[in-house]
Amino acid sequence: MEFQLKILLVSFVATIVLGIFTIPILQRMKIGQSEREDGPKSHLKKSGTPTMGGIIMAISIIGASIVAFIHYIGKEPEVGRKLIPLIMATIGFGIIGFIDDYKKVVLQNTDGLKPRHKMLGLLIISVLFVFYIEKVLGIGTSIIIPFFKTTINLPALVYIPFTIFVILATTNAINLTDGVDGLATCVTLTIVTTLTVLSIIYDVKEVIILGSIVCGTCLGFLIFNLNKAKVFMGDTGSLLLGGVVACSAIYLRMPLIILIIALVPVMETLSVIIQVVYFKKTRKRFFKMTPIHHHFELCGWRENKIVTVFSFATILLCIIGLFSVI
């Protein structure tokens, strides 16, 4: 555990240092956020705030991962080898987000990456990750059922599409949660911490390492991302973090626990689905605005209150999630 604490500290410090140097560069390049005119009026003043801050996260994670790989490759090469697909998938999702952000912010293409191209990119990475851990690493097709504390073996033809769906759903759910200063970072930090604790209990060292790195990165990024945010993570960061949550849970054979510990992002997604379906049927809105954190904003909640309530709800859900599988 000593090394894991050290790597957490390394990623924390690296993120802060990268943030100090990167944010001014993003400002000079005018890589700023564009706010929706129909959104909460309080967000209009955020227009121009540097975005694509997920780059800071990605560089920090890559750097810390290299340090971890070098550390383990001589002592426990199997751990170092198994860490690679987790890191590659994480960065892969971040790259998809980066392309989307780059088209929106730098190339001034308001549509960004076309939804079907974005989903295709996420799908390719998801398929490669699931096939690799199942066919090459031999993780197997069993999953743990929360609360029942039992394991069931799924046929490969069921397991593979199911886990791919989990990854796609989770990455998009975390992406939708990113809309209020510090919200996605705080919620994801709590979820990843829980998955890291579970990996310690089950002694899955590669997930312990990834979790430690990402927790340190999130803590460092929060210094710049809490209200009033100096930088936004953009899709680069939110898709990257979504990938960490999904891939870690699947690697631990606990994809179903996401429904518990990540219920806040799940509700963010459901609010959008409900809004769309309800509007198509009635031509009226069910919520004032979606994702649901914007509904609470328009109800008069301040951003700090939303982050606090959603974060405490996630902490409670994560405690329930822990007891559901141990």
Side-chain angles (χ1 to χ4, degrees):
M1 285 303 297
E2 183 181 351
F3 176 75
Q4 282 78 16
L5 290 173
K6 285 180 179 178
I7 204 69
L8 186 152
L9 183 60
V10 166
S11 58
F12 173 70
V13 173
T15 304
I16 294 174
V17 173
L18 284 166
I20 291 170
F21 285 97
T22 305
I23 293 172
I25 294 173
L26 294 174
Q27 288 173 329
R28 285 197 296 271
M29 294 178 66
K30 298 185 191 251
I31 299 178
Q33 178 84 354
S34 296
E35 295 294 338
R36 293 166 54 178
E37 293 293 334
D38 61 339
K41 299 304 177 186
S42 60
H43 282 220
L44 294 177
K45 61 185 177 183
K46 297 182 182 184
S47 186
T49 301
T51 187
M52 294 179 71
I55 295 171
I56 299 169
M57 291 179 159
I59 296 173
S60 176
I61 290 171
I62 291 171
S65 298
I66 292 172
V67 172
F69 181 80
I70 293 172
H71 173 81
Y72 277 101
I73 200 65
K75 297 181 178 180
E76 299 179 66
E78 189 69 10
V79 175
R81 184 175 71 89
K82 289 181 176 180
L83 180 63
I84 293 175
L86 288 165
I87 298 299
M88 294 296 288
T90 296
I91 300 306
F93 290 119
I95 290 173
I96 300 299
F98 174 81
I99 295 170
D100 190 31
D101 285 336
Y102 186 83
K103 292 191 73 172
K104 285 179 185 174
V105 183
V106 179
L107 300 183
Q108 299 296 308
N109 182 337
T110 54
D111 294 329
L113 198 59
K114 290 183 179 179
R116 64 176 179 273
H117 294 158
K118 189 175 183 179
M119 288 303 294
L120 178 61
L122 297 175
L123 177 62
I124 291 171
I125 296 168
S126 301
V127 170
L128 290 174
F129 175 77
V130 171
F131 268 91
Y132 189 87
I133 65 169
E134 203 275 306
K135 300 295 184 184
V136 180
L137 297 186
I139 296 297
T141 60
S142 63
I143 62 172
I144 296 171
I145 308 299
F147 299 111
F148 292 94
K149 298 179 182 179
T150 186
T151 302
I152 62 169
N153 287 301
L154 297 175
L157 290 176
V158 175
Y159 174 84
I160 291 173
F162 170 67
T163 48
I164 290 171
F165 170 77
V166 169
I167 296 174
L168 294 175
T170 306
T171 50
N172 281 283
I174 299 293
N175 184 228
L176 289 171
T177 307
D178 182 34
V180 172
D181 293 1
L183 179 59
T185 314
C186 287
V187 168
T188 307
L189 172 61
T190 307
I191 295 168
V192 174
T193 299
T194 303
L195 291 170
T196 306
V197 170
L198 285 170
S199 64
I200 293 170
I201 294 170
Y202 284 86
D203 194 30
V204 184
K205 292 182 180 178
E206 47 272 30
V207 180
I208 298 174
I209 298 163
L210 176 63
S212 300
I213 291 171
V214 174
C215 285
T217 299
C218 286
L219 286 169
F221 191 73
L222 272 175
I223 291 175
F224 309 103
N225 190 230
L226 283 174
N227 190 268
K228 179 182 177 183
K230 296 179 178 64
V231 67
F232 301 131
M233 67 173 68
D235 282 10
T236 309
S238 59
L239 291 180
L240 178 150
L241 292 179
V244 172
V245 171
C247 293
S248 297
I250 289 169
Y251 199 93
L252 290 169
R253 299 185 296 126
M254 300 178 188
L256 293 178
I257 202 174
I258 292 175
L259 292 173
I260 304 170
I261 65 176
L263 186 58
V264 167
V266 169
M267 293 304 298
E268 296 273 20
T269 305
L270 288 176
S271 70
V272 174
I273 295 171
I274 291 169
Q275 186 86 319
V276 171
V277 173
Y278 188 78
F279 186 81
K280 283 183 177 179
K281 288 189 175 182
T282 67
R283 308 311 295 176
K284 295 179 182 179
R285 295 183 178 185
F286 188 86
F287 299 102
K288 292 184 178 181
M289 186 179 177
T290 56
I292 200 169
H293 56 259
H294 289 317
H295 171 81
F296 287 108
E297 277 191 279
L298 294 177
C299 287
W301 286 30
R302 293 182 178 274
E303 288 192 34
N304 285 338
K305 181 178 179 179
I306 293 171
V307 174
T308 301
V309 172
F310 281 35
S311 296
F312 271 107
T314 302
I315 291 171
L316 178 60
L317 289 163
C318 285
I319 293 171
I320 295 170
L322 279 171
F323 282 105
S324 74
V325 292
I326 60 175

